[in-house]
Amino acid sequence: MNPQRRALLRAGSLAAALPMAAGAGSAAAASAALPPSLPSVPAGTAPEVLASNQAYWQAVAAQYDTTDAIVQLDNAFWGSMARPVLRHYEQQLAMVNRDNAWYARMRFPADFEAARAAAARALGVAIDEIVLTRGATEALQVLIAGYNRLRPGDTVLYADIDYDNMITVTRWLQQRRGAQVVSIAMPEPFTHDGVIAAYVAAMERHPALKLMLLTHVNHRNGMVLPVAEISRLARARGIDVIVDTAHGFGQLDMTIPDLQADFAGINLHKWIGAPVGVGAAYIKRGRVADIDPYMGELRGEKAGDDIRTRVHTGTVNFAAYLSLPTALDLHAQIGVANKQARLRLLRNRWVEAARAIEGIEVLASADPRLTSAIASFRLKGKTSVADSYALSKKLVQEHGIFAVPRDGLASGACVRVTPGIFTPESHLDRLVEALRKVAKG
């Protein structure tokens, strides 16, 4: 832990003995003052039943301010804050701006730890197993680059579905650790057993394999990787996995232990809807020493098992972290199983209709085990990056629909569609009608 952070924590411990700045309050108190107004769900209502309850989801959508300038179907970049979270964030931002260093040095350390504890509870882990970051990218960079159990000649694996920045860091391990870095491509069309078989084949083909990057829900075609099964197979062979669950946690009904992995990078500003700039890194208790500390973080320290020494973000966006408990409260009130069911209904509404359109190739599985909110499409035979950018541009200019091109898949580029829990079903119907017109040329 660096000297500045130790000083902040010491200062925070003195705060109870000092007068509070006028108007300042704890994050928990502000959260409690802003309860979201949602109708109650009848006891025993299955998520699949609630998913079709238009009145309920209209009430959820009413908690969000959304644009009417475009049909917004790129809700995977980051998650819009609900109005109660935004209101809380604005209040905390004003408080921090007003109280400045007095708040930052005297009160923020305790509020930050409260936010960390709230995140740990939601993730289903102990507080000493997570450290808050500025997003999943920072968390995964810390985990991949810091993984210190590699020796020259060891092999590291990534797949075409993995996130671009994470692939870059994984490749960097060749010069940092002397590892051999190899890649695989997921089969298309993909199936549950086919995906597992692809990883098993890679493990058998590379006996020196020591580390694998697994993407829980990939940002290209939305496939949900059977992470737990693959993690168990890897562990039996002495292989560690680092899981990118930037798109998994918050939209899928799961907690971190369900992944059966010792390391994970998490986003809290995507499907949780916290302010932009909030994520977390998970390291299972007992594995912290396998990740290098941040530069200089162990100065004067003998023990290296404090997960907080693995990340140093400098001066953070105080208000963003203070608003995390409020976002988690709203997420819990709606219920992750309910969110998953609603997002699956919205995804299936356009995917199943698009499959019947001649000339449209849908990149999505019918297997619910592999299904997320994200799915993709392209014009048959049009697999270049230029093709996908042109298709995305056409949807915007001629149909008022915003969906983003993605590249990197071995099979070619595509256009990604991602509804949010506030997306009306009519927006997916507009997409389907646009695809019918686009397919005709």
Side-chain angles (χ1 to χ4, degrees):
M1 187 180 302
N2 69 19
Q4 182 184 22
R5 189 171 293 174
R6 283 198 300 271
L8 279 173
L9 291 174
R10 284 197 298 269
S13 68
L14 297 174
L18 295 171
M20 189 64 177
S26 71
S31 177
L34 293 168
S37 54
L38 291 174
S40 59
V41 178
T45 303
E48 293 74 20
V49 174
L50 185 66
S52 300
N53 186 324
Q54 297 303 322
Y56 178 80
W57 292 105
Q58 285 171 6
V60 170
Q63 298 294 321
Y64 294 83
D65 294 314
T66 57
T67 182
D68 58 4
I70 195 84
V71 171
Q72 167 66 282
L73 293 178
D74 180 25
N75 294 293
F77 195 171
W78 75 85
S80 296
M81 285 181 277
R83 201 172 294 117
V85 181
L86 177 61
R87 208 158 49 225
H88 184 207
Y89 177 60
E90 291 170 339
Q91 291 175 353
Q92 298 307 300
L93 188 64
M95 180 274 290
V96 171
N97 187 63
R98 180 190 65 232
D99 294 350
N100 203 275
W102 166 250
Y103 171 77
R105 295 185 187 277
M106 305 308 296
R107 295 288 181 179
F108 180 66
D111 285 347
F112 182 79
E113 285 302 293
R116 182 179 169 220
R121 288 191 296 272
L123 291 163
V125 302
I127 190 172
D128 63 345
E129 293 181 307
I130 67 160
V131 58
L132 296 180
T133 66
R134 291 171 292 191
T137 294
E138 181 178 52
L140 288 159
Q141 286 174 336
V142 164
L143 295 173
I144 297 168
Y147 183 81
N148 59 33
R149 299 192 69 190
L150 294 173
R151 300 294 178 265
D154 288 344
T155 302
V156 178
L157 178 79
Y158 70 87
D160 64 331
I161 57 171
D162 295 328
Y163 189 58
D164 310 73
N165 288 342
M166 282 38 282
I167 290 174
T168 299
V169 180
T170 302
R171 287 173 175 168
W172 182 63
L173 290 174
Q174 185 160 343
Q175 68 183 74
R176 179 180 177 90
R177 306 287 187 187
Q180 178 189 11
V181 180
V182 298
S183 66
I184 60 172
M186 290 294 97
E188 286 193 17
F190 51 85
T191 65
H192 180 271
D193 293 347
V195 167
I196 293 176
Y199 279 95
V200 170
M203 293 182 224
E204 293 174 348
R205 190 165 58 247
H206 301 286
L209 190 57
K210 292 294 186 293
L211 179 67
M212 297 196 305
L213 173 64
L214 300 180
T215 298
H216 189 193
V217 177
N218 83 76
H219 78 291
R220 306 181 196 279
N221 60 21
M223 180 183 71
V224 177
L225 198 69
V227 169
E229 293 95 323
I230 297 169
S231 294
R232 284 192 289 266
L233 291 168
R235 179 175 287 111
R237 293 167 168 80
I239 303 168
D240 270 326
V241 301
I242 295 175
V243 179
D244 175 352
T245 188
H247 282 292
F249 181 75
Q251 70 145 317
L252 301 183
D253 187 8
M254 49 75 65
T255 58
I256 296 303
D258 295 332
L259 300 174
Q260 296 291 307
D262 292 350
F263 309 98
I266 302 140
N267 236 322
L268 297 167
H269 63 229
K270 286 189 183 290
W271 299 98
I272 295 297
V276 171
V278 184
Y282 163 76
I283 305 176
K284 187 176 180 179
R285 186 178 291 162
R287 297 300 308 271
V288 174
D290 296 326
I291 304 296
D292 283 339
Y294 186 85
M295 296 177 291
E297 280 289 297
L298 289 185
R299 272 186 307 185
E301 301 276 355
K302 291 184 178 180
D305 60 353
D306 187 338
I307 192 173
R308 292 171 295 179
T309 64
R310 271 54 188 174
V311 176
H312 184 124
T313 56
T315 304
V316 299
N317 182 345
F318 303 101
Y321 290 105
L322 293 175
S323 299
L324 175 57
T326 305
L328 289 169
D329 286 348
L330 179 58
H331 173 70
Q333 183 173 11
I334 297 172
V336 65
N338 295 331
K339 289 173 73 170
Q340 179 177 339
R342 177 62 178 177
L343 289 167
R344 180 176 290 172
L345 180 147
L346 294 173
R347 176 262 197 195
N348 288 345
R349 189 177 182 93
W350 81 265
V351 162
E352 299 310 320
R355 289 193 199 278
I357 302 174
E358 186 176 354
I360 296 293
E361 180 184 0
V362 177
L363 282 65
S365 173
D367 187 339
R369 294 174 296 179
L370 307 180
T371 297
S372 71
I374 302 168
S376 299
F377 69 93
R378 57 188 167 220
L379 292 174
K380 288 183 178 177
K382 301 289 187 178
T383 60
S384 72
V385 173
D387 289 333
S388 290
Y389 272 87
L391 181 52
S392 176
K393 184 177 180 180
K394 188 180 186 72
L395 287 172
V396 169
Q397 293 181 338
E398 298 183 13
H399 303 281
I401 296 171
F402 185 56
V404 292
R406 299 286 87 178
D407 65 352
L409 290 175
S411 64
C414 55
V415 176
R416 182 182 76 188
V417 175
T418 316
I421 56 172
F422 43 76
T423 302
E425 294 176 15
S426 61
H427 283 190
L428 286 313
D429 296 339
R430 282 184 60 179
L431 171 65
V432 172
E433 184 57 31
L435 293 183
R436 290 194 179 103
K437 294 177 180 177
V438 166
K440 290 180 180 178

